[in-house]
Amino acid sequence: MKGKLKGILEEKKPAILNAWFTVVAESYAEETAKFLRRQKDPFANPVGRAISKTTEELFDDLLTGPDYETAGIHLDSIIRVRSLQNFTPSSATQFIFSLKSVIRDAIGKDIHESGLEKEMVEFESRIDQLGLVAFDVYMKCREKVYELKSNEFRDRYYNAFRRAGLISEVAATPNLDKSNNMTKAP
Amino acid sequence: MAEELPTPEELISKGYKPPKTAWMDTPVNIRKGMYCYASTPKTVETLGLPNPRNWNPLDDDWQLPDNWKEIVFEGLRERLDKFRSFKLFMDICVRCGACADKCHFFIGTGDPKNMPVLRAELIRSVYRNDFTKAGKILGRLAGARPMTIGVLKEWWYYLFQCSECRRCSVFCPYGIDTAEITIVGREILNLLGLNIDWISAPVANCYRTGNHLGIQPHAYTDMIDFFCEDIEEVTGVKMEPSLNRKGAEILFITPSGDVFADPGTYTAMGYIILFHYLQELGLDITWSTYASEGGNFGFFTSHDTMKRLNAKMFAEAKRLGVKWILGGECGHMWRVIQQYMNTMNGPADFLETPVSPITGTCFENAKSTKMVHIAEFTADLIYHNKLNLDPSRNDNKIVTYHDSCNPARGMGLLDEPRYVINSVCNHFYEMPSNTIREQTFCCGAGSGLNASEDMELRMMGGLPRANAVKYVHEMHGVNMLACVCAIDRAVFPALMEYWVPEVDVTGLHELVANALILPGEKKRTTDLRGEPLPGVEEEDAEE
Ligand code: SF4
Ligand code: SF4
């Protein structure tokens, strides 16, 4: 991305990121939102840390990109958390689309005065694209959880008994020989 | 589902916002993935506990006895009288909030009811309402609320989202231990038959056959035999562990997870190898197929159930006529031993204060329980130079150490495991200081929450731990997470796979056995998992 809009966005980056963080934080209960904002230690507050780090990375991705593969990697660290939490898929990913109104609130006047509507619409379609990538990431995380749920017992107990020859098998069980590392799912 | 979708207007607004109601007015929403299946009638019957029936937490009707409220109040009253600590914890909280953000379940789920102070308040509000003057007069103004079915469901949901890890208590200026509140709360829930299957089934199994999985003695023996074959393949040395041997000096008890579940099995092989090595130096030890479980899920049910399951440790020690007991790598097993065993089933006057037959060290700290943790025992051996070690055999493992909540906060076992790791490995890195030792973050699945159906809860509860592992993985290339707890070994593989897939999980004595040079061993080419030792592949390539 180049041009005037990029310049304005770069200039207003701290304010935009701050507002965007607030939007994400406010998707949690009030007490939680306060904590997410207040606690700066990344180990005491991994979710807050993931929100601030990821939103900044995504913002930069949108400005420099669009490289949606990298953006997907960045999205992972926040979607991986939100896909587990008490959100519907839409509310888990909604914060991405919220960036549009966050930006319009912050620089709407500049956009209007400088006649940057077209550029802004183009920028917004990148945000939409990012939202689509988020669905892919979301599904990947959910699938991982289901996989863990269904494989865990097999990986922990069944394999140990089988190696010990304590299970008599009728036919070869597919997909159980994962070298010697029995602790990992395939 | 449909009504939960945001409207188009909401979608273009700034963002999703949760409803803003005070916690007392926010009804519990029992969500799949966050709870474990309900206990089955069979397991509840086996233990003779109340109200066995088929029930489902998602049903409106939990099939409670008509007088359930009375049972709750009586249960509460009895425990307020019996446990002074519980009464104090109900009374003295000033709601300062120091504990609020210290719980891994709060940090991971973002649900305020997982703040330790609010978790306790779920019970405290009812206590205020019916047991204090202020509550009776001022009601809600004094933070009191009447007991209802909704409140009971809330208790159940959130008391089974506490892993009784005690991290919050470290930060409370009054030393309030929310874990103890959870313990008492779960005990009351059990009076109504409201346990989870992942706890009641192992407890019933353990009661019948001596271990959580219900494995019978011959299968236990088969498993040990199999370990010996595997060890011989790796080391060329024949192992001859003894089982149920009367007259041995020491009885060894470890969680059954070490014997029956990966990757604990490699830790069990580690014990066998260490004991074999020490035999010549004078170790006289036996395993038991009856006391075949160190863990005690009774602890997560009620004090009485814990006592019943724990009794077999001393009983088996008496039957075999040993002098003292050595305990394996387990978490909550040690909390039970350290805090409760002596008063529940002791004093075990027929046993002696443990003395290491190899170094002569007297374990004064184990004077009352007569049980020594194997990490202490091995650290003492290494300190006295009794083990011939080649740490370079672990050079492909870049290790960090997770302090399991119970050994760390429940018995102060902090330095011994680190001393052992540093003696058997060349590459060890600590996680950040506010995530280890007394401040360690729970695995997210302690206290019987390590089922598979609550995987979402486990992944969120384990996030703070995994986040710290990820950090040392990125900083130092850590690829191995060591721990001294069977539940850790059971749940970390999944947790790592979700958050830091590059990191594997090991017990302490697996690392010890890899490094331990056995007299008469063949040239070792693999570790206990059959993976090539560092340098071996290159050597092969050169040849
Ligand atoms: S004991 Fe552990 S899990 Fe329970 S409330 Fe305290 S910090 Fe949370
Ligand atoms: S830190 Fe202690 S006194 Fe303060 S809110 Fe928590 S339990 Fe209550």
Side-chain angles (χ1 to χ4, degrees):
Chain A
M1 183 180 180
K2 43 188 190 300
K4 211 164 170 197
L5 180 62
K6 186 179 183 195
I8 301 174
L9 286 171
E10 271 168 351
E11 192 192 315
K12 293 285 167 67
K13 181 175 159 179
I16 293 172
L17 288 182
N18 193 26
W20 199 15
F21 183 99
T22 302
V23 168
V24 186
E26 283 180 351
S27 64
Y28 296 87
E30 215 176 309
E31 303 90 323
T32 311
K34 264 190 221 146
F35 162 71
L36 289 173
R37 183 175 273 293
R38 193 198 65 234
Q39 176 54 267
K40 300 289 182 222
D41 183 303
F43 302 105
N45 181 9
V47 179
R49 169 76 183 155
I51 298 172
S52 53
K53 190 165 160 279
T54 310
T55 44
E56 175 156 18
E57 285 167 348
L58 291 175
F59 190 75
D60 292 343
D61 289 340
L62 287 166
L63 285 188
T64 54
D67 169 3
Y68 293 110
E69 204 175 312
T70 309
I73 295 169
H74 292 150
L75 265 174
D76 187 283
S77 49
I78 188 165
I79 301 282
R80 195 160 284 272
V81 178
R82 288 173 73 86
S83 66
L84 297 166
Q85 290 172 328
N86 189 14
F87 294 113
T88 57
S90 54
S91 47
T93 48
Q94 198 194 338
F95 71 93
I96 296 161
F97 302 101
S98 310
L99 180 60
K100 293 185 200 176
S101 45
V102 165
I103 290 176
R104 283 193 181 269
D105 278 358
I107 60 167
K109 215 166 131 233
D110 305 83
I111 294 172
H112 185 69
E113 283 170 4
S114 315
L116 293 170
E117 266 307 329
K118 213 172 138 235
E119 273 188 57
M120 183 59 194
V121 169
E122 195 263 332
F123 187 74
E124 283 177 335
S125 72
R126 289 187 189 187
I127 298 178
D128 290 335
Q129 192 63 37
L130 199 59
L132 296 178
V133 177
F135 291 133
D136 293 342
V137 177
Y138 183 94
M139 276 317 292
K140 200 181 71 194
C141 294
R142 293 304 304 162
E143 276 166 9
K144 187 73 199 169
V145 169
Y146 294 134
E147 192 187 296
L148 291 172
K149 281 190 196 203
S150 60
N151 292 352
E152 189 180 47
F153 193 81
R154 186 196 70 186
D155 291 341
R156 269 161 52 190
Y157 297 103
Y158 184 81
N159 276 346
F161 280 86
R162 197 184 56 96
R163 273 186 300 135
L166 295 178
I167 289 170
S168 77
E169 282 165 292
V170 178
T173 317
N175 201 21
L176 279 170
D177 278 308
K178 294 169 290 174
S179 73
N180 288 299
N181 182 353
M182 298 299 181
T183 67
K184 294 280 162 102
Chain B
M1 175 80 198
E3 68 271 12
E4 289 172 30
L5 287 175
T7 61
E9 291 73 34
E10 280 170 341
L11 262 178
I12 54 162
S13 78
K14 284 241 201 74
Y16 166 81
K17 286 197 181 164
K20 296 226 180 312
T21 44
W23 71 267
M24 275 196 202
D25 304 320
T26 311
V28 62
N29 167 24
I30 298 183
R31 198 160 71 86
K32 276 193 183 159
M34 301 295 287
Y35 67 88
C36 302
Y37 298 144
S39 48
T40 62
K42 211 171 147 222
T43 56
V44 178
E45 259 161 27
T46 303
L47 293 157
L49 294 176
N51 202 17
R53 77 225 176 274
N54 273 314
W55 67 288
N56 183 341
L58 294 179
D59 286 348
D60 279 345
D61 182 5
W62 281 11
Q63 304 168 58
L64 301 173
D66 291 340
N67 64 338
W68 69 266
K69 255 190 220 175
E70 213 178 290
I71 297 175
V72 169
F73 287 137
E74 260 324 298
L76 205 51
R77 190 186 324 276
E78 192 190 319
R79 282 155 189 85
L80 286 164
D81 288 344
K82 195 156 136 195
F83 304 112
R84 201 173 138 62
S85 55
F86 179 59
K87 171 90 170 65
L88 266 176
F89 295 164
M90 286 293 104
D91 285 329
I92 62 173
C93 171
V94 293
R95 291 193 254 183
C96 70
C99 63
D101 57 0
K102 304 304 187 295
C103 175
H104 51 287
F105 284 117
F106 169 68
I107 295 171
T109 62
D111 182 345
K113 284 182 189 164
N114 273 324
M115 292 176 163
V117 52
L118 260 195
R119 197 188 309 285
E121 206 69 10
L122 299 177
I123 296 183
R124 200 178 277 126
S125 54
V126 172
Y127 162 75
R128 283 203 196 98
N129 197 65
D130 291 271
F131 293 84
T132 68
K133 259 200 200 112
K136 276 181 188 150
I137 298 166
L138 296 171
R140 190 164 167 144
L141 271 180
R145 64 171 175 175
M147 186 73 191
T148 63
I149 200 77
V151 170
L152 183 75
K153 290 189 175 183
E154 200 172 49
W155 281 19
W156 183 82
Y157 193 56
Y158 288 103
L159 294 180
F160 287 102
Q161 283 184 41
C162 166
S163 53
E164 303 179 359
C165 77
R166 282 175 132 190
R167 186 171 196 267
C168 49
S169 75
V170 173
F171 299 89
C172 174
Y174 297 91
I176 293 176
D177 183 357
T178 305
E180 298 226 356
I181 298 175
T182 298
I183 290 169
V184 170
R186 286 196 192 179
E187 194 165 303
I188 294 171
L189 289 172
N190 264 282
L191 299 175
L192 302 173
L194 296 175
N195 206 343
I196 59 171
D197 187 51
W198 196 257
I199 294 177
S200 65
V203 168
N205 285 337
C206 205
Y207 189 53
R208 259 198 348 258
T209 54
N211 59 65
H212 289 162
L213 285 168
I215 303 289
Q216 296 179 1
H218 59 274
Y220 195 95
T221 312
D222 283 350
M223 210 65 186
I224 301 278
D225 285 347
F226 157 71
F227 291 151
C228 294
E229 283 164 27
D230 249 25
I231 293 169
E232 195 171 346
E233 222 165 90
V234 174
T235 65
V237 180
K238 196 170 165 52
M239 303 282 122
E240 281 162 342
S242 61
L243 287 114
N244 305 323
R245 182 164 53 83
K246 285 193 177 171
E249 184 186 350
I250 305 165
L251 166 64
F252 179 63
I253 301 180
T254 201
S256 65
D258 287 349
V259 183
F260 298 116
D262 291 331
T265 46
Y266 304 108
T267 301
M269 287 159 75
Y271 304 144
I272 295 175
I273 293 172
L274 176 68
F275 298 161
H276 179 89
Y277 178 96
L278 296 174
Q279 216 169 331
E280 272 189 16
L281 302 178
L283 185 76
D284 177 16
I285 195 164
T286 183
W287 298 59
S288 163
T289 57
Y290 300 101
S292 54
E293 181 61 74
N296 187 337
F297 275 31
F299 179 37
F300 312 136
T301 304
S302 68
H303 286 86
D304 280 343
T305 316
M306 157 169 65
K307 179 178 171 173
R308 278 155 89 184
L309 298 189
N310 173 260
K312 69 169 178 274
M313 289 195 177
F314 283 156
E316 182 66 345
K318 195 166 206 170
R319 186 181 76 90
L320 297 176
V322 300
K323 287 190 184 148
W324 57 276
I325 310 171
L326 182 67
E329 298 180 17
C330 187
H332 71 280
M333 152 179 167
W334 283 100
R335 175 109 150 256
V336 174
I337 293 167
Q338 186 81 5
Q339 271 181 263
Y340 302 98
M341 181 159 79
N342 198 31
T343 42
M344 279 186 319
N345 291 311
D349 293 335
F350 61 95
L351 294 173
E352 295 173 12
T353 300
V355 174
S356 168
I358 291 118
T359 64
T361 299
C362 177
F363 294 96
E364 291 281 347
N365 56 324
K367 206 172 180 167
S368 83
T369 61
K370 316 288 198 287
M371 268 189 91
V372 175
H373 193 293
I374 193 161
E376 276 181 285
F377 180 74
T378 302
D380 174 65
L381 291 168
I382 295 172
Y383 182 77
H384 286 98
N385 243 329
K386 297 293 180 192
L387 301 185
N388 188 10
L389 298 165
D390 176 4
S392 76
R393 295 210 286 223
N394 282 319
D395 270 357
N396 53 352
K397 299 176 178 72
I398 304 168
V399 181
T400 192
Y401 176 69
H402 161 73
D403 291 271
S404 311
C405 307
N406 287 303
R409 281 190 282 268
M411 68 185 293
L413 189 84
L414 303 167
D415 292 311
E416 292 85 345
R418 290 178 164 80
Y419 179 72
V420 172
I421 293 176
N422 274 312
S423 308
V424 301
C425 299
N426 287 321
H427 308 292
F428 173 67
Y429 295 96
E430 289 279 16
M431 286 181 268
S433 61
N434 55 344
T435 71
I436 56 168
R437 298 177 74 92
E438 290 90 345
Q439 295 190 41
T440 186
F441 273 117
C442 176
C443 63
S447 82
L449 303 182
N450 52 322
S452 293
E453 62 266 20
D454 63 336
M455 194 61 77
E456 283 86 344
L457 175 70
R458 283 173 46 188
M459 294 300 112
M460 284 183 274
L463 166 60
R465 168 41 74 225
N467 181 53
V469 174
K470 189 172 179 151
Y471 174 74
V472 283
H473 166 69
E474 284 168 358
M475 286 292 289
H476 309 291
V478 162
N479 59 13
M480 194 55 95
L481 175 59
C483 56
V484 288
C485 167
I487 290 186
D488 286 340
R489 282 189 286 276
V491 303
F492 274 149
L495 188 76
M496 290 301 111
E497 197 174 326
Y498 190 77
W499 295 108
V500 208
E502 303 82 359
V503 175
D504 214 330
V505 180
T506 181
L508 190 62
H509 280 78
E510 180 183 343
L511 296 172
V512 170
N514 277 333
L516 190 62
I517 303 170
L518 290 169
E521 71 177 18
K522 70 174 191 188
K523 183 174 183 307
R524 286 210 221 171
T525 54
T526 71
D527 62 15
L528 290 182
R529 300 186 187 198
E531 282 164 17
L533 287 180
V536 168
E537 270 168 344
E538 295 97 80
E539 268 175 42
D540 286 352
E542 279 165 26
E543 273 166 20

